[in-house]
Amino acid sequence: MMQFKSRIYQHFFIIGLLFVVPDIAIPNRLKTKTDPLTEQRKPGVCALEPSMSCCYGWKNVNGVCQPICKKPCENGFCVGADRCSCMKGYKGKNCNKDVNECGLPMRPCSHSCMNTIGSYRCFCNPGYTLDTDGKSCIKKLNCTSLYCQFGCQIDRDGEMDCLCPLGLYLAADSRTCKDTNECDGPSHTCTERQSCRNTFGSFICVCKDGYVLGTLQDAVTCRDKDECLTGNHRCSHQASCVNTEGSYTCQCDKGYTGDGFRCWKRSNRQQSWAAMYFQYKRSKQMRPV
């Protein structure tokens, strides 16, 4: 009986060695090596040997494969071949569409929500004030008597005042809020090529006439609109269109006269009438007194 048990133990010992010994006894040079291409491959890299080559839709920039997007990601980043990763508050293939957070099934605000470009703002009903998270409304029993439009606060001295969100100011009745026109002052960030357009509680920048929204030096900005190239001008058929910064001018062709918008052919008769008029004016000046 003892011999039978010892044989069983020997079998278990041998089976255990089959699982343990290979990791100890087999040299590292005989173990399967990991494919170096798998370890070194980075996004956009399709091959490393004989030289690194980028996949379709990627370009090699100083030895690093970077993605190419046919249209710029206006409010996001190009992360793949013609694929944008949008910043929070934007959506669309080129991240050019605003996300209306106030229209989502899970509304972010406890009470009232106002959508803004790329974001949103929360407001509270009268008798409530906005909590520190900017979303929740907490009840302020002491403020209900003020009937504030958006909210109120109690200062250290115990005085109660109505509050207005950023972009609004307190009206003369000390209860309601009026819009602040950022376009009237230097508080907006619009460039010389843009016009400031006021919105409720904020503002937007739009391109002026003669400029269009586009990319310039890898940045989204307003660039000059070439009216002569697009044909969007009012020059005469007998005139040439000359593009200028933010506008254009019209110059009558050789042999024609006018302001460029209307050109007519020069004639000897017109020149002779001009000469006769010049001689008449000169004779009036030289007439003796």
Side-chain angles (χ1 to χ4, degrees):
M1 185 66 179
M2 292 295 295
Q3 291 181 355
F4 177 77
K5 289 184 179 180
S6 63
R7 288 181 180 179
I8 293 177
Y9 292 146
Q10 289 177 359
H11 284 300
F12 278 113
F13 179 76
I14 293 172
I15 293 173
L17 288 177
L18 292 176
F19 289 97
V20 177
V21 171
D23 291 334
I24 301 175
I26 299 176
N28 291 331
R29 59 186 178 84
L30 296 180
K31 292 184 178 181
T32 304
K33 295 184 178 180
T34 306
D35 186 3
L37 294 178
T38 305
E39 294 181 344
Q40 301 178 15
R41 183 167 294 171
K42 297 179 180 180
V45 178
C46 279
L48 290 173
E49 295 179 357
S51 61
M52 188 190 75
S53 61
C54 299
C55 301
Y56 176 78
W58 297 68
K59 62 180 179 179
N60 190 333
V61 179
N62 298 326
V64 179
C65 292
Q66 294 187 0
I68 301 174
C69 291
K70 296 178 182 178
K71 292 184 179 180
C73 304
E74 295 186 14
N75 300 287
F77 307 94
C78 187
V79 296
D82 202 23
R83 184 164 57 91
C84 297
S85 177
C86 300
M87 293 186 292
K88 187 178 180 180
Y90 295 94
K91 63 180 180 179
K93 184 176 180 181
N94 304 111
C95 303
N96 57 350
K97 296 181 180 179
D98 173 63
V99 175
N100 185 4
E101 293 86 354
C102 300
L104 297 176
M106 296 293 293
R107 296 190 62 185
C109 304
S110 299
H111 290 176
S112 301
C113 179
M114 182 180 76
N115 185 56
T116 61
I117 298 177
S119 186
Y120 64 93
R121 290 180 180 176
C122 297
F123 304 102
C124 298
N125 297 334
Y128 294 82
T129 185
L130 203 60
D131 203 357
T132 54
D133 61 358
K135 301 177 182 179
S136 306
C137 293
I138 55 177
K139 195 170 185 180
K140 286 284 186 179
L141 297 176
N142 294 332
C143 290
T144 54
S145 59
L146 294 180
Y147 297 101
C148 298
Q149 182 180 5
F150 290 107
C152 62
Q153 70 175 1
I154 303 175
D155 58 23
R156 294 180 179 178
D157 298 329
E159 294 291 332
M160 295 180 295
D161 298 306
C162 293
L163 288 178
C164 292
L166 186 67
L168 305 176
Y169 68 93
L170 199 62
D173 59 4
S174 299
R175 294 188 302 104
T176 58
C177 297
K178 290 187 176 181
D179 175 56
T180 300
N181 191 349
E182 294 85 357
C183 299
D184 287 344
S187 58
H188 66 81
T189 56
C190 300
T191 62
E192 295 180 355
R193 297 181 176 184
Q194 296 173 328
S195 297
C196 180
R197 184 176 297 173
N198 186 56
T199 60
F200 185 76
S202 186
F203 67 94
I204 58 174
C205 299
V206 295
C207 294
K208 293 181 178 179
D209 291 339
Y211 296 92
V212 293
L213 192 66
T215 55
L216 183 65
Q217 296 179 351
D218 296 332
V220 179
T221 183
C222 294
R223 58 177 178 81
D224 176 54
K225 178 182 179 181
D226 193 341
E227 295 86 355
C228 301
L229 182 64
T230 60
N232 188 21
H233 60 82
R234 297 187 296 109
C235 295
S236 171
H237 293 293
Q238 287 78 35
S240 300
C241 179
V242 180
N243 185 57
T244 60
E245 180 70 19
S247 185
Y248 66 95
T249 59
C250 301
Q251 297 179 357
C252 292
D253 296 338
K254 187 176 181 180
Y256 291 85
T257 185
D259 59 1
F261 298 98
R262 293 182 301 171
C263 298
W264 56 86
K265 197 169 185 180
R266 295 180 185 272
S267 63
N268 294 329
R269 184 178 180 181
Q270 289 177 336
Q271 292 177 355
S272 62
W273 276 105
M276 290 172 63
Y277 180 74
F278 176 75
Q279 292 176 0
Y280 168 76
K281 294 292 288 186
R282 188 175 182 185
S283 64
K284 294 283 285 184
Q285 294 175 356
M286 299 176 63
R287 180 179 297 178
V289 180

